[in-house]
Amino acid sequence: MNEFSVIDQYFKRQALSREDVVYGIGDDAACVRVPAGMDLFISTDTLVSDVHFSSDWDPFDIAYKAVMVNVSDITAMAANPAWLSLALSMPTSDESWLKRFSKGLHKALGVFGISLIGGDTTQGPLTITISIHGLAPVGQGVRRKGAKASDIIWVSGDLGGAALALSSLKPNNIAKKDMSILLEKLKHPTPKVNLVPILQTYATSAIDISDGLAQDLNHICIASQVAARLSLQSIPLHPLLTKYQADKAIELALHGGDDYELCFTTPAESLDAFRQACAKSNVTCHPIGIMEDGRGLLGVDKDDKTIKIAPKGYQHFQA
Ligand code: ADP
Ligand code: MG
């Protein structure tokens, strides 16, 4: 198949249309209409074969994850995902691969009603670059900068499941049923898009913790010029993490990545209202600590001892 029939058959024909897409795939650029009173958010993430996923994954999962990784970034800004473009580089135009890939792509886009509006298709090593665009009412986006001392620190779900899946991709003693739960978590993350309006109202800062809680929360600390004091026992752990790696659970939850949960802060004064908004929207967030004056990350363990937490997590170009 040549480039143009690939685009037509697997991307253009199946693209979901939204009213705000004036024209999508087929011209030299797409045209979208940003609704009056909305800010536009733009984010790009690349997934490289054998760095972010294994080349032997089902292409459905590769595409699904590539979309969700991008949705997670937009969600962390308290914006709703709207449009997306896909730059796909692949070694050959293998139809059975493209069939699965496009199936996963359109499935993931359908979950949040995102429209595929364009992209680029090239021959080369398998790499997927997605640019996602999202919308939020003017001025209501949330940044890493903005947390204040005494703000409460939250995470949007349990941590360490994806890290456990990655740590045990080698032969191990994890039951098959449990392994499939972990792989589902790793390959099909579902960013908490229903938190977006709540973040717009209550959050003072937010980040997606794709590279690990400690490293990513430290980005908030640096941008906001505060320190984080975490209650280590309050960090929600994936149940299978405590089942299989109890001794390493906190370590994996703090420093393992790939969970695509959000970490954010809210002022202590709005605690009750924030909790009510979460209950109303059926989202569960977990308070894990408090911001204070200073810099860096501290952890309070079960014996009430305060320890320093290294802000380490996943990094490219690490020595
Ligand atoms: P150009 O030669 O101007 O770069 P292309 O031939 O690459 O244009 O693309 C033709 C149209 O198809 C464009 O609208 C482009 O955005 C879209 N497109 C190309 N590849 C993809 C893809 N993988 N997914 C979605 N749209 C794509
Ligand atoms: Mg092109």
Side-chain angles (χ1 to χ4, degrees):
M1 275 189 110
N2 70 31
E3 182 191 330
F4 305 110
S5 39
V6 166
I7 295 169
D8 186 56
Q9 180 157 344
Y10 294 105
F11 302 116
K12 182 174 179 180
R13 237 181 264 176
Q14 301 177 50
L16 169 162
S17 70
R18 286 171 51 110
E19 266 185 14
D20 48 17
V21 177
V22 185
Y23 32 87
I25 299 171
D27 284 281
D28 287 326
C31 174
V32 294
R33 198 151 287 159
V34 179
M38 299 300 257
D39 281 336
L40 172 64
F41 295 74
I42 304 160
S43 173
T44 301
D45 248 328
T46 294
L47 277 77
V48 178
S49 182
D50 295 320
V51 176
H52 300 93
F53 59 87
S54 163
S55 52
D56 61 12
W57 278 22
D58 180 345
F60 180 101
D61 297 334
I62 298 173
Y64 195 96
K65 180 155 184 166
V67 170
M68 293 308 181
V69 163
N70 277 273
V71 171
S72 183
D73 279 319
I74 282 291
T75 306
M77 300 300 293
N80 277 113
W83 315 298
L84 177 149
S85 69
L86 163 72
L88 173 63
S89 156
M90 56 191 171
T92 59
S93 64
D94 177 337
E95 288 209 54
S96 61
W97 191 94
L98 277 162
K99 219 180 206 153
R100 289 296 295 161
F101 182 85
S102 61
K103 204 164 185 176
L105 177 81
H106 296 293
K107 175 96 189 180
L109 295 174
V111 173
F112 298 117
I114 302 167
S115 184
L116 177 67
I117 53 168
D120 201 18
T121 305
T122 53
Q123 188 164 20
L126 181 57
T127 308
I128 296 131
T129 297
I130 287 180
S131 285
I132 190 163
H133 306 83
L135 299 167
V138 168
Q140 293 198 18
V142 176
R143 305 178 63 188
R144 298 175 179 190
K145 176 180 164 170
K148 300 263 181 307
S150 88
D151 280 359
I152 302 168
I153 307 165
W154 302 84
V155 287
S156 63
D158 57 39
L159 305 181
L164 179 61
L166 286 169
S167 76
S168 45
L169 287 176
K170 314 154 201 79
N172 58 70
N173 49 12
I174 293 187
K176 227 176 158 178
K177 176 171 89 8
D178 290 343
M179 199 59 208
S180 66
I181 293 172
L182 292 173
L183 288 176
E184 174 65 21
K185 185 108 186 125
L186 179 71
K187 296 178 176 178
H188 300 160
T190 309
K192 302 282 162 62
V193 172
N194 49 355
L195 251 182
V196 163
I198 300 176
L199 294 176
Q200 289 169 357
T201 307
Y202 297 102
T204 48
S205 71
I207 193 165
D208 96 310
I209 40 180
S210 50
D211 295 329
L213 173 64
Q215 178 168 300
D216 287 327
L217 175 56
N218 193 51
H219 291 313
I220 289 189
C221 290
I222 293 168
S224 301
Q225 304 195 296
V226 286
R229 177 178 292 270
L230 299 179
S231 154
L232 296 178
Q233 279 188 298
S234 304
I235 296 174
L237 304 172
H238 193 281
L240 292 175
L241 190 56
T242 26
K243 177 172 172 185
Y244 287 105
Q245 297 241 24
D247 50 332
K248 273 209 215 151
I250 288 279
E251 174 79 14
L252 286 172
L254 279 173
H255 305 293
D258 253 356
D259 282 317
Y260 302 100
E261 294 296 344
L262 301 180
C263 177
F264 58 94
T265 54
T266 62
E269 310 84 80
S270 60
L271 178 61
D272 290 342
F274 169 75
R275 282 213 151 112
Q276 278 166 24
C278 288
K280 212 168 144 197
S281 299
N282 216 3
V283 294
T284 309
C285 294
H286 309 262
I288 58 165
I290 205 133
M291 290 299 191
E292 56 185 34
D293 289 326
R295 281 303 181 285
L297 305 174
L298 298 169
V300 181
D301 69 11
K302 60 181 191 317
D303 304 317
D304 240 6
K305 217 174 79 199
T306 300
I307 52 168
K308 252 188 123 64
I309 300 172
K312 65 178 175 45
Y314 187 80
Q315 282 182 20
H316 296 272
F317 308 110
Q318 218 163 7

